[in-house]
Amino acid sequence: MLVISERTSLPVSTNYITFDNSTQSLVPATRNLFDLPLVYLPVAFVFMSAAAHFIIATVYRKKYESDLTKGINKARWVEYALSASTMMVAIAMLSGAYDLSTLIMLFTLTAAMNLMGLVMELWNQKTEKTNWLAYWLGCVFGIVPWLVVVIYFWGANTYGSGSIPTFVYWIYVSIFVAFNSFALNMLLQYRAKGKWANYLYGEKMYIVLSLVAKAGLAWQVWAGTLRP
């Protein structure tokens, strides 16, 4: 993907206020900071996942397997905090979010959502009854970036030319469903529903969902904007 893709770039900008001498007032302004080759985003989150799997399968394997017997996987949430947040930035930029501050906040909120998964598992190591606070906080943190992207869709269609490509809408729907499937998987785990009563079944589902979400987003981005 890195080698054969078209070098399509998107701007990363900053918004600020400046003084307009002609009107003697403060006015909003935008400055382009740099252009980011779009291919770097899908390549980044795919490599993050690959690196995490390699570490878990080698030097971290004993700790990983030991943690699974306790109903926890710390490495999963750390990897998701980085890779899923990068995925969210990619989706936001394809939707027209170019402001650096906005992208940083979207990345941070998505990372916080995933780290709440880690808090959920750590916290409930010490409780007899499941405490859902971290879970619901993660849901709140996680929904905000998607609402921000919806606002960009709305702005493009209401005030612009509605020029967001159709494939971006498909990305939004498919990855939104995938992200929510992670939350559903955890819900079923902690409610011990059916096969999810076995923590290892939930772990397998996390692995499958991660593969589907990352591969799905990477190749949708490639097919929509990076294909030679």
Side-chain angles (χ1 to χ4, degrees):
M1 186 178 289
L2 184 62
V3 171
I4 68 174
S5 295
E6 288 287 332
R7 284 300 184 264
T8 302
S9 296
L10 293 176
V12 176
S13 60
T14 183
N15 296 317
Y16 58 97
I17 57 173
T18 187
F19 188 75
D20 187 335
N21 288 314
S22 62
T23 61
Q24 293 294 297
S25 63
L26 292 173
V27 295
T30 300
R31 182 180 182 86
N32 187 56
L33 298 175
F34 56 90
D35 291 329
L36 177 67
L38 183 57
V39 69
Y40 289 170
L41 293 173
V43 165
F45 62 71
V46 169
F47 269 123
M48 288 174 189
S49 186
H53 280 74
F54 178 77
I55 293 170
I56 290 170
T58 54
V59 296
Y60 195 75
R61 182 164 182 168
K62 288 184 179 180
K63 177 63 174 172
Y64 167 69
E65 292 177 345
S66 173
D67 282 349
L68 289 182
T69 63
K70 303 172 187 175
I72 188 172
N73 180 1
K74 299 174 184 176
R76 177 204 305 132
W77 301 114
V78 173
E79 187 255 308
Y80 287 177
L82 297 173
S83 61
S85 302
T86 306
M87 292 169 71
M88 195 70 241
V89 167
I91 294 169
M93 292 192 72
L94 286 169
S95 307
Y98 304 139
D99 179 63
L100 180 61
S101 299
T102 300
L103 296 175
I104 290 173
M105 286 187 283
L106 295 179
F107 183 97
T108 303
L109 279 168
T110 308
M113 173 192 70
N114 286 285
L115 292 176
M116 283 296 104
L118 175 58
V119 173
M120 177 75 175
E121 290 193 338
L122 286 172
W123 196 339
N124 286 289
Q125 295 291 304
K126 303 176 182 180
T127 59
E128 293 183 6
K129 183 179 179 181
T130 301
N131 189 308
W132 291 93
L133 177 61
Y135 180 88
W136 294 118
L137 284 174
C139 290
V140 172
F141 295 153
I143 198 63
V144 174
W146 294 99
L147 294 176
V148 170
V149 172
V150 165
I151 292 172
Y152 276 94
F153 285 166
W154 170 76
N157 287 289
T158 304
Y159 302 110
S161 60
S163 58
I164 293 177
T166 302
F167 83 91
V168 178
Y169 290 94
W170 284 108
I171 286 175
Y172 183 94
V173 173
S174 61
I175 306 304
F176 179 78
V177 170
F179 271 38
N180 281 276
S181 297
F182 286 88
L184 177 61
N185 190 57
M186 173 173 272
L187 181 70
L188 293 171
Q189 270 188 321
Y190 277 91
R191 294 207 181 277
K193 296 291 185 180
K195 295 180 180 179
W196 280 268
N198 181 352
Y199 182 83
L200 294 182
Y201 183 80
E203 172 68 4
K204 291 176 182 177
M205 291 305 299
Y206 278 124
I207 293 171
V208 171
L209 288 170
S210 180
L211 172 63
V212 170
K214 292 183 176 71
L217 178 57
W219 290 112
Q220 284 184 87
V221 172
W222 187 83
T225 62
L226 303 173
R227 181 175 55 189

